[in-house]
Structures are given as C-alpha cells and as structure tokens.
Amino acid sequence: EKAEREPSRGIEEIVVTANKRAESIRDIAGSVGAVRGDDLEKQGAKDLEGFLKFVPGVSLNKQDLGGNAPSIRGIASSTSLGISQAATGTYIDEVPLNGPYASFHTVDPNPYDLERVEVLKGPQATLYGSNSLAGAIRYILQKPKLGAWEGKVSVDSVAISDDGRALSGEAAVNIPVYEDQAALRIA
C-alpha cells in the first residue's frame, strides 16, 4: 500500500510594521524577529520570559523587585544608582512604555490575544526614539473585526503542594458595534 502524502505547505509570508508601514519581513534591511499571537498562545507564554527565549539574540535579565530588563544583542545600560535610560524600548503598537529614568521597570503585559510581537534588533532611535539604542520590542494588538462576533477563553489550573490549587485565565471578545463600520475588542 502507498502511504498518502500530505500536501506540502508553502512558506508563510510574515508581514511586520517595523518601518512604520506593513511590509514583508524579507524586505526589511534590519534584523527583525516576529512571533505570531496564536503561536504565543499555543506555547503558553504569559510574559516576556515566556516568548523571548524563542527569539535569537535576545535575553531577559531578571533583577530585584520583580524588574526585568530585556537585552538585545547583549547591549544594556545601567549606572551604579540604577538611574539610566533603557537600551531596549518597549511599545504597544506605537505607544512607548519606557520612562526616561526608570529603566529597571519594564512593562511586561500578558501576550494573550495579540496579533504578534516584533523584536527589532539594532539601533532604532530614528523611528522609535532614544530608548531604543539596542532595539525595540513591539506588542501589536489584535485589531477589532468589523461585522463579526468572536470570543475565546483560556483557563489554567496548577496543583500546589498540600492539596492547594491555583487558577488563572484569560478571555477575549470581539463585538460588532454598528454594522460594518465599528467594532470593539476586549481582552
């Protein structure tokens, strides 16, 4: 008997907005790592540590007081007092989340229901400002879908010693507000 072969899947094109416009990742001059949101959900990523390990050239330096400092290509900045600008910028879409003097606090949102996360390696100050000396991490939000109801829920349960349990979960919903002209997405 002949075994049936699965049809080969072509290489999927990844579109990023690293240069402030949508273009194929192959057409970008710099080095960009992109992780799709549904891949993050499949991997069970809950924070920076959960997905940065899949992007080459990027590491996460854990610090005191729950602070995390991502480092791209080993470039980081610090002073003896801990007061300096971050070398890696963090953005949600186009909104910068780094403060000019508190580099020891990095915003670490849950990546549930994201379109993708882009890691731009190398100097990005021209497009993203002075906090992006080593590069930038961009969380690209899932856009609302016009005219479509959509929802998803994820619940995790963890057993803790002495018969304890811990539950955590995420949810997202897309609500069409006015025909095909407005929609609302909540995660």
Side-chain angles (χ1 to χ4, degrees), residues 43 81 104 126 135 152 161-162 164 182-183 185:
Q43 296 164 357
L81 298 175
F104 52 89
T126 302
K152 60 184 177 178
S161 62
D162 297 329
R185 188 168 195 97

Side-chain angles (χ1 to χ4, degrees), residues 44-179:
K46 304 282 183 196
D47 54 13
L48 278 169
E49 186 176 17
F51 69 84
L52 284 184
K53 61 186 170 190
F54 298 107
V55 181
V58 181
S59 61
L60 185 65
N61 304 315
K62 294 211 167 234
Q63 299 177 351
D64 293 338
L65 304 172
N68 296 321
S71 171
I72 298 177
R73 295 180 174 170
I75 300 171
S77 65
S78 67
T79 63
S80 59
L81 298 175
I83 299 173
S84 65
Q85 278 190 311
T88 301
T90 305
Y91 300 82
I92 292 183
D93 285 331
E94 302 298 324
V95 179
L97 300 176
N98 296 80
Y101 301 110
S103 65
F104 52 89
H105 289 293
T106 300
V107 176
D108 191 0
N110 185 331
Y112 187 77
D113 195 46
L114 289 178
E115 182 179 324
R116 69 184 173 278
V117 175
E118 297 176 357
V119 179
L120 292 68
K121 301 173 191 172
Q124 301 294 324
T126 302
L127 292 175
Y128 294 99
S130 63
N131 275 343
S132 301
L133 173 68
I137 298 172
R138 296 184 62 220
Y139 295 90
I140 308 300
L141 299 177
Q142 192 75 257
K143 305 301 181 259
K145 296 175 184 168
L146 301 175
W149 284 89
E150 186 178 275
K152 60 184 177 178
V153 176
S154 173
V155 178
D156 296 322
S157 174
V158 178
I160 302 173
S161 62
D162 297 329
D163 298 324
R165 276 222 177 292
L167 290 173
S168 67
E170 296 94 10
V173 64
N174 189 82
I175 304 166
V177 177
Y178 182 70
E179 297 175 5

Side-chain angles (χ1 to χ4, degrees), residues 27-47:
D27 296 335
I28 299 197
S31 179
V32 177
V35 183
R36 292 186 350 212
D38 55 347
D39 290 339
L40 293 172
E41 291 174 22
K42 288 176 190 171
Q43 296 164 357
K46 304 282 183 196
D47 54 13

